[in-house]
Amino acid sequence: MKHQDPLVRRSYRHKKPRKIQSWQWTLFLLAIITIIGLAFSAINYYNGIKMQKEIATATNTLLTQAKQTQDKADLTMEAQVHKNKAFTSISFLPAEQTVLPFKNLEKTYQTFYHQKSDHDSKLPPLFIGSVQKKKLTDELARYTVIVTTYEWDKKEHAFQKIDSKTTQSAFVNTTNQHKMNAKELIQTKANLLGIQQIVKNELLKKAKNPDQIIDAVIALPDLSWKTKMTYHQKYLEIKVPLEGDKTTTVKLSYNQIKPFIQTQLVDPKVLKKDTPKEPEDKKYLALTFDDGPNPQTTPDILNILAKEKVKATFFLLGKNVEQAPNLVKQAKEQGHELASHSYSHPFLPNLTNQQVSDEVQKTDKAIYNAIGELPQFLRPPYGAVDENTAQRIGKPIIQWNVDSLDWQSKNKNAILSVIKQTVAPNSIVLLHDIQPATVEALPEVIAYLKKENYTLVTISELLGHQAKPMHQYFGKDDERKI
Ligand code: NI
C-alpha cells in the first residue's frame, strides 16, 4: 500500500481555488436575466391586472352615473354594455313601452361608435350613448341623442371625458307624443293663410328686385298641409311653391309668425316676451274710410287728419288706386294704413273663385305699385263674405260696428249725430272718403271723439297685430270665425 505523500496531501488541501469556467458565467447571467425578466413580467402582469380592475371599476362607476343621469331624463331606458377590441360601449336603449322620436337608436349609436373608434389611440375608448329629454314648456320637450367619449388616462388611473356629441335631436308635443311638425304648430287653415301673407312679404323684402317677382308673389299658390314645412328650434322653414314645379325656401322666425302658431309649442327662449298691455282705461277707436281714393274729396280728408294728427285706415278700391296712386302714396307717407276693398266693388259671394281671386290680386297689385307694400286687410263690399270667399281672400276681414251712414244721409249733422249715439271704446267706425258731407263732418267728429278721450288708431294697432284670415272683426272685442 502506497502511502500518500503527506506533502502532496497538504498541497491538495491547500490548493488554490479553481478558475470559474466561462460557461458557468453564461449560465449565471442567463439565470439573472431570466429572474429579472420574470420579475418584470410579473410586475407587468400585475399592473395589467390592476389596470383592468381599475378600468372595470371606473366603467362601473360611469355606468352608475350614466344611469342616474338617464333616470333624471324621465325616460325608461336600459343600459347595454358591449366590449370588443376596438371599444367598450354603454348604450341606453328604450324599454319596451318607451316612445322615442328616433328611429333605430341602436344603429345611430353604433354608427357613431365605429366612426369615432377609428383613430389609433393606444387603449380602446369607452362610449356612452344616451337620450336626454328636456322640458321646454308644459307641452314641448326636446329629445337629444348624446354620445360621450372617454379615454383611459394611465397616469391618472381614471377615465377622461374627451367629448360629448349630439348626434340627433327632435322636438315633441308632449300632450300627444307627436313629433313636432308644421301641422302641430299651425293647426288651422286660418293660421296657414296668415303665414302665407307673411311669406309674401318676406319674399318681397328679400328680393333684389321685388318688381320682377311681384306678379308671382301675388298669385302664389296657397300653402297647404302638403307644402314642405320643417320645424326647427328657432324658425319654420317653408319650401314655398311657385308657379310650375319651382319652389323657393323661406325661413320665418317664430316671432314673425307668432299670432299664427301655438306658442306653447315653441322654445320660450326664441320668443320675444309680450309687450305689456296698454292700460285698460284708455279708449281706443279706429276711423276707417271706404271706396277711395277720390281726387275730389280724399285730399281734404288727408289734410284734416294731418291737421288733427290722427291716423286712420283706408279701404281702397283697386280701380280707384290705379287712377290716383299718388293719393295712396301720400296717405302712406302720412302714416295711415292702406287696405283692400276689392277692385270693382262687387258682391263677392256671388262670384266664382277665380273672379274673387282676380278682385283681390288686382287690388294687391295696384296698392303695391302705389306704395311698395301689399295690403294686409280686406273689407268686402257691403260686408258680404262667406267661408269660401274668405278663404280665397286669405286676409283678415275687417267689418265695422259704428256705421256713420254718411253714404245715405249725405248730411254733416246726421253723420255727427249717428256717431255720437253709437260710438263706444274699441269701435271700428265706417266712413267714406268719397262723400263731400264726410269731409264737412270730419273736423267735428274728431273734435267730439278727442273731447271724449278717444285715442284714434289704425286697424293693426286696434287689433294688436293679431288679426287672422278666415276671421272677421267688427271691433276689437267682436271677432267672429267665418
Ligand atoms: Ni264700399
Side-chain angles (χ1 to χ4, degrees), residues 320-351:
N320 290 350
V321 175
E322 284 175 358
Q323 297 305 311
N326 286 339
L327 279 177
V328 180
K329 203 175 163 208
Q330 189 194 332
K332 174 74 193 171
E333 283 164 1
Q334 284 180 216
H336 303 299
E337 187 155 49
L338 290 319
S340 174
H341 190 40
S342 83
Y343 187 81
S344 62
H345 214 275
F347 190 87
L348 293 173
N350 283 354
L351 303 187

Side-chain angles (χ1 to χ4, degrees), residues 290-292 315 317 341-342 345 379-383 400 430-432 434:
D290 283 15
D291 298 348
F315 289 91
L317 287 177
H341 190 40
S342 83
H345 214 275
R379 172 174 286 161
Y382 320 103
W400 61 89
L430 172 63
L431 295 150
H432 294 81
I434 56 167

Side-chain angles (χ1 to χ4, degrees), residues 258-275:
K258 201 170 169 184
F260 311 114
I261 57 174
Q262 306 298 309
T263 48
Q264 74 279 13
L265 293 175
V266 170
D267 185 353
K269 264 190 257 161
V270 307
L271 281 182
K272 274 190 212 131
K273 290 224 170 73
D274 285 322
T275 44

Side-chain angles (χ1 to χ4, degrees), residues 112-124:
F112 190 85
Y113 299 159
H114 285 284
Q115 276 168 6
K116 285 281 284 186
S117 64
D118 225 17
H119 70 109
D120 49 8
S121 72
K122 283 162 204 156
L123 286 166

